[in-house]
Amino acid sequence: MKKLKAVATELAERMEVPAEAVGAAKLTIVGGSRLLVENHTGLREYGQERISIGCGRGSIIVSGSGLTLLGMNGGELIIGGSIRSVEWEK
């Protein structure tokens, strides 16, 4: 399955199709207080100062204060609070 995703990602790059169209995570940050993550694979860690979100090839680590999960469904999640940093971790 991982190999199939790698092939799909490479094909998307060659055809100049956005990576999120083949399942790559897409992040939208609004004013440092709200983060929308699309194409996630679930929460890995949840706390008021750190949230780890699974995605295809690793994790997205959100750090800040007063972090809270505002909404979540199979493909999207929204985090609120004072967002200090967003990092990619393999």
Side-chain angles (χ1 to χ4, degrees):
M1 186 69 171
K2 287 183 181 181
K3 187 172 184 174
L4 181 60
K5 284 188 178 186
V7 170
T9 301
E10 183 178 335
L11 184 59
E13 288 173 3
R14 288 184 183 187
M15 295 179 66
E16 298 182 7
V17 173
E20 63 270 13
V22 293
K26 179 180 177 183
L27 308 174
T28 305
I29 299 175
V30 180
S33 62
R34 194 167 286 214
L35 170 66
L36 167 65
V37 180
E38 298 176 70
N39 299 326
H40 69 89
T41 59
L43 289 176
R44 294 187 175 172
E45 179 183 342
Y46 181 79
Q48 290 187 353
E49 295 182 354
R50 177 182 161 103
I51 297 176
S52 176
I53 306 156
C55 54
R57 297 181 185 158
S59 298
I60 297 165
I61 310 299
V62 182
S63 299
S65 59
L67 299 177
T68 185
L69 185 62
L70 299 176
M72 179 175 168
N73 64 30
E76 300 177 344
L77 64 81
I78 302 171
I79 296 171
S82 178
I83 298 170
R84 182 176 50 249
S85 68
V86 178
E87 299 176 53
W88 175 261
E89 185 177 88
K90 272 193 160 183

